[in-house]
Amino acid sequence: MSTPASTPAGTATAPGPTPAAGMGFIPPVPRSLEETGLSLTFLADLALKILYNAGYLTGGQLADRLRLPYTGVTEAILEFLKREQLVEVQGSRGVGEQAYQYALTARGRDRAREALERSQYAGPSPVPLHAYAAGMRRQSHKGVRVTPRLMRQALAHLVLNDRVFHKIGPAINSGTSIFLYGPPGNGKTSIAEAIGRRIFQGPLYIPYAVEVGGFVIKVFDEVNHELLPNDRPGGTGMLKAAADARWILIRRPFIVSGGELTLEMLDLTWNEVSRYYEAPLQMKANGGIFLIDDFGRQQVRPRDLLNRWIVPLEKGVDYLTLHTGQKFEIPFEVLILFSTNLNPRDLVDEAFLRRIRHKIEVPDPTPAEFREIFRRECQARGIPYDEQALIYLLQEWYVKRRRPLRAVHARDLLAHIQDIASYFNVAPVLNKELIDRACEAYFVELGAPPAAPAPAKPSGPA
């Protein structure tokens, strides 16, 4: 087993996040170069790259780009760059040193090009690995707690029997992984989405990037992370906020991966052109939920994928490797949801199932549950609900054909009815003719004889 890497030589130690009222933690604002946890050389090269791309910036603008305070931090970086004759002052845009406008000297441009050859990263300053680890553990998803009342509010849009419903809450509170299984179309993904989007709604601080061994790992993902309103882009250069601006306030992440998932997506992605790393999916999901949908249908074999998760699920840590061979440890503060419609016995062995504490089967709906789903879907679509029409549907297309009920059928069949009614320019109603047409278009009878010619245009309600 790999061991966590030591702090790189020349890297200072920064204080970890501190607790605050109303939040699990607030990362403290660094007041000096030492408190950033980064070496002066690293920050100087980053500032040179930013100036090289921008042409010229004021001290306050550079502080905004670095996401570091001007006083005590950015001013110290600029003093070093001036002393080394890498930057020069070219006028002022206001009052005070923050308004001084800086540009690279010829020597500075050469140094910036050398830095860009090593890495083209020129974004916000990263945080050191140990600060990231401390921050994620302070904001663990295990701090999320649910009650039956909260569960009813979050899952009110779903029709679930009590047996399934009362398994989900304890599974969430356990903070461990959850295995959802059962026939397709019964709401496993909908349950997972409700957990991620209606229960895990709290704020979470993540760093824009993390520094490990002199390399940058970009963590913030514009696609998978939702910025909260008070951390939208834009600043003044003063950075008077109570939190370290290198940390971004987001909603707890809910990341979904389906059949496209590969083992490579769970490792650091090294870009040979930009020469910095993109964080793997589980690192981006830290503090939130990672849903592996349609488990068993990925491009990677289920057994290989499960072997990749054994240590993180059991120990709460994951191990990543730089392309230089350096290994390091990161927190694994992720609620993993596996969702599959395949038989668990065909996917996993007993050893792995033992590590997943909560296994929840989502069965086919009962006739009464299907009726409620159908009624709600009619109401949502503005289609008058008809009890007799539903009885006809169940008798003719389920009981006689020995077809199992699926929760998703109500939505899909009513959508078909709307499509057919729109085509014939009639009202979407529940009558035998429209129900039959919808079912003939939706269900596939393998081995059945060719369908009979279509009947005449519907005339309206039966």
Side-chain angles (χ1 to χ4, degrees):
M1 182 180 295
S2 305
T3 56
S6 59
T7 303
T11 300
T13 300
T18 56
M23 291 284 296
F25 75 107
I26 291 182
V29 178
R31 300 299 181 186
S32 66
L33 285 172
E34 290 73 21
E35 289 185 0
T36 66
L38 304 171
S39 68
L40 176 57
T41 301
F42 181 94
L43 289 172
D45 283 349
L46 181 57
L48 288 172
K49 289 185 286 186
I50 291 173
L51 281 167
Y52 184 87
N53 291 333
Y56 50 83
L57 293 170
T58 66
Q61 289 171 334
L62 180 60
D64 282 341
R65 300 284 184 95
L66 290 169
R67 289 215 172 196
L68 293 172
Y70 179 82
T71 302
V73 183
T74 305
E75 65 178 348
I77 298 171
L78 286 170
E79 284 300 320
F80 170 78
L81 295 176
K82 286 188 293 183
R83 189 166 58 250
E84 295 295 316
Q85 299 180 352
L86 300 174
V87 300
E88 58 186 1
V89 177
Q90 290 190 343
S92 176
R93 288 191 172 183
V95 178
E97 293 184 358
Q98 293 188 49
Y100 290 173
Q101 188 166 279
Y102 294 89
L104 297 178
T105 62
R107 182 177 178 181
R109 286 191 292 272
D110 290 340
R111 172 77 173 267
R113 283 190 285 265
E114 292 174 5
L116 285 167
E117 287 178 2
R118 292 191 295 272
S119 172
Q120 293 188 19
Y121 180 82
S125 303
V127 303
L129 175 62
H130 67 86
Y132 168 74
M136 290 300 100
R137 291 193 177 99
R138 296 292 291 273
Q139 301 176 99
S140 173
H141 69 286
K142 296 175 183 176
V144 176
R145 289 290 180 268
V146 298
T147 62
R149 179 180 179 182
L150 177 59
M151 287 291 296
R152 290 189 185 94
Q153 293 173 348
L155 302 179
H157 61 300
L158 301 176
V159 177
L160 299 172
N161 63 56
D162 286 345
R163 184 172 60 84
V164 173
F165 178 86
H166 288 300
K167 285 183 178 180
I168 299 172
I172 296 172
N173 284 344
S174 75
T176 61
S177 53
I178 302 174
F179 196 92
L180 298 171
Y181 67 98
N186 283 336
K188 296 182 295 298
T189 302
S190 296
I191 291 171
E193 289 179 347
I195 296 172
R197 304 192 190 283
R198 294 175 178 240
I199 294 176
F200 278 67
Q201 288 289 291
L204 178 80
Y205 274 109
I206 65 167
Y208 187 87
V210 174
E211 182 267 343
V212 180
F215 293 98
V216 174
I217 302 171
K218 184 173 177 289
V219 177
F220 175 65
D221 184 341
E222 294 83 355
V223 175
N224 289 306
H225 293 145
E226 180 186 350
L227 280 173
L228 290 180
N230 62 343
D231 202 67
R232 297 293 180 184
T236 63
M238 301 298 289
L239 296 175
K240 292 182 179 179
D244 184 345
R246 294 177 295 172
W247 293 76
I248 303 169
L249 191 62
I250 66 167
R251 206 174 298 281
R252 286 188 180 268
F254 175 60
I255 294 179
V256 181
S257 185
E260 76 281 2
L261 182 64
T262 63
L263 285 179
E264 289 74 18
M265 296 168 69
L266 304 179
D267 292 325
L268 292 169
T269 302
W270 170 252
N271 189 313
E272 284 289 352
V273 177
S274 62
R275 303 191 69 78
Y276 62 85
Y277 292 95
E278 185 79 18
L281 291 177
Q282 73 274 20
M283 189 173 179
K284 293 179 180 179
N286 253 337
I289 292 177
F290 186 13
L291 168 62
I292 302 178
D293 208 7
D294 287 330
F295 178 61
R297 302 187 187 279
Q298 282 71 32
Q299 299 179 42
V300 60
R301 292 189 310 166
R303 187 171 300 276
D304 293 336
L305 183 60
L306 295 176
N307 287 338
R308 175 64 179 81
W309 289 118
I310 284 179
V311 171
L313 289 175
E314 193 169 70
K315 304 296 185 182
V317 298
D318 196 12
Y319 295 92
L320 302 176
T321 307
L322 301 176
H323 71 286
T324 60
Q326 178 183 345
K327 296 181 183 296
F328 61 95
E329 176 185 300
I330 63 168
F332 191 79
E333 296 292 345
V334 187
L335 178 61
I336 300 288
L337 298 180
F338 296 93
S339 174
T340 184
N341 53 41
L342 303 178
N343 190 328
R345 294 182 179 274
D346 298 333
L347 297 174
V348 297
D349 56 22
E350 182 180 352
F352 186 81
L353 280 176
R354 188 176 68 251
R355 290 176 169 85
I356 302 179
R357 189 185 307 171
H358 293 270
K359 282 78 72 174
I360 303 175
E361 181 181 9
V362 183
D364 293 331
T366 64
E369 291 164 353
F370 187 84
R371 175 184 180 277
E372 177 60 17
I373 296 169
F374 200 87
R375 185 193 65 78
R376 291 189 186 188
E377 195 65 34
C378 283
Q379 184 179 27
R381 294 176 178 272
I383 299 176
Y385 174 75
D386 187 318
E387 182 75 20
Q388 293 304 311
L390 177 60
I391 292 174
Y392 170 79
L393 169 66
L394 294 176
Q395 287 292 335
E396 292 296 321
W397 289 94
Y398 287 91
V399 176
K400 288 184 178 180
R401 290 167 169 78
R402 297 183 179 179
R403 176 175 287 116
L405 293 169
R406 299 282 194 261
V408 74
H409 288 176
R411 181 198 68 191
D412 292 348
L413 289 173
L414 289 170
H416 268 291
I417 287 174
Q418 287 181 312
D419 294 339
I420 297 167
S422 175
Y423 175 73
F424 287 111
N425 195 27
V426 297
V429 294
L430 297 181
N431 61 40
K432 294 181 180 180
E433 194 169 356
L434 285 176
I435 287 174
D436 288 342
R437 280 179 176 269
C439 291
E440 288 167 1
Y442 183 64
F443 295 119
V444 176
E445 303 290 354
L446 297 178
K457 170 183 174 180
S459 56

